[in-house]
Amino acid sequence: MKSYQRLASLTKIEQSYARSSEKQDDFAFAFENRTHNVFAAIGGNRSGKSIVAGWMCFARYLRDVAVSGDIFWCVAPTIDKSIAGQQKELWDCLPKWMFGKQSYDAKSGFGRTNSNIILKIAGGHEIVVRFKTAAQYDSDPASFEQEKVRGVWIDETVPEGLYKR
């Protein structure tokens, strides 16, 4: 039995993603346990980290738990990584009705200059998702301190100082 299969058999999970190759076993799991307010998905390239963190945790929270007025951040190293990564992942996994009239484009995402989207949630309420980058942090670190957010999804490597903010 492979290590990820053993872990899955011992843990209550909603869904798992696993991919095996000749060179390595990659695995990631989303756990039902909500006793922690920090979740990390660690693995090699193409191991499913974005699926677990983005689809199974962050997007699921947006869809099922978020309440009217909540603000969320998605942080990536660059705008291009944000567009090809987090913005595309949310577009692919969330129901399209949540986006209202907003749409995603592979070149500009939800808009290269507009770093916000407003998502509709149950009951006709709305939440805000802001797409931020490490480059923004480098030019204005204080911009990562001035807002009360419900949750943050950081994808890829960003400066350690950003975590402290």
Side-chain angles (χ1 to χ4, degrees):
M1 179 179 280
K2 296 181 184 267
S3 61
Y4 68 83
Q5 291 169 326
R6 184 175 186 288
L7 179 61
S9 70
L10 297 173
T11 310
K12 180 180 177 183
I13 59 173
E14 176 183 272
Q15 184 177 356
S16 68
Y17 170 89
R19 178 182 66 82
S20 297
S21 69
E22 293 178 16
K23 295 181 181 179
Q24 69 184 52
D25 289 327
D26 297 326
F27 63 92
F29 298 94
F31 298 94
E32 285 289 325
N33 184 344
R34 293 198 175 134
T35 59
H36 303 288
N37 61 7
V38 174
F39 174 82
I42 302 168
N45 289 336
R46 310 303 305 159
S47 63
K49 299 179 303 288
S50 293
I51 298 293
V52 171
W55 292 45
M56 294 166 54
C57 296
F58 191 77
R60 181 177 178 216
Y61 190 93
L62 296 178
R63 186 194 68 202
D64 298 344
V65 183
V67 298
S68 183
D70 280 351
I71 298 171
F72 298 87
W73 288 355
C74 291
V75 183
T78 66
I79 188 64
D80 290 329
K81 288 211 180 246
S82 173
I83 290 169
Q86 292 170 314
Q87 293 185 40
K88 182 181 184 318
E89 298 291 343
L90 290 179
W91 179 254
D92 287 346
C93 72
L94 288 173
K96 298 302 178 262
W97 64 263
M98 290 183 70
F99 293 94
K101 294 180 181 180
Q102 301 163 120
S103 64
Y104 171 84
D105 174 83
K107 287 187 177 185
S108 60
F110 295 111
R112 280 191 172 270
T113 57
N114 181 7
S115 60
N116 304 323
I117 60 172
I118 297 174
L119 296 176
K120 298 185 182 312
I121 58 173
H125 300 288
E126 296 178 339
I127 59 173
V128 175
V129 178
R130 298 195 198 291
F131 296 97
K132 298 171 99 40
T133 66
Q136 288 173 307
Y137 170 76
D138 290 340
S139 65
D140 185 11
S143 68
F144 282 77
E145 293 181 346
Q146 303 169 356
E147 190 166 46
K148 183 177 179 180
V149 295
R150 174 69 63 194
V152 179
W153 172 22
I154 299 175
D155 199 39
E156 302 293 339
T157 303
V158 295
E160 185 176 339
L162 194 148
Y163 288 102
K164 294 176 183 174
R165 295 282 177 169

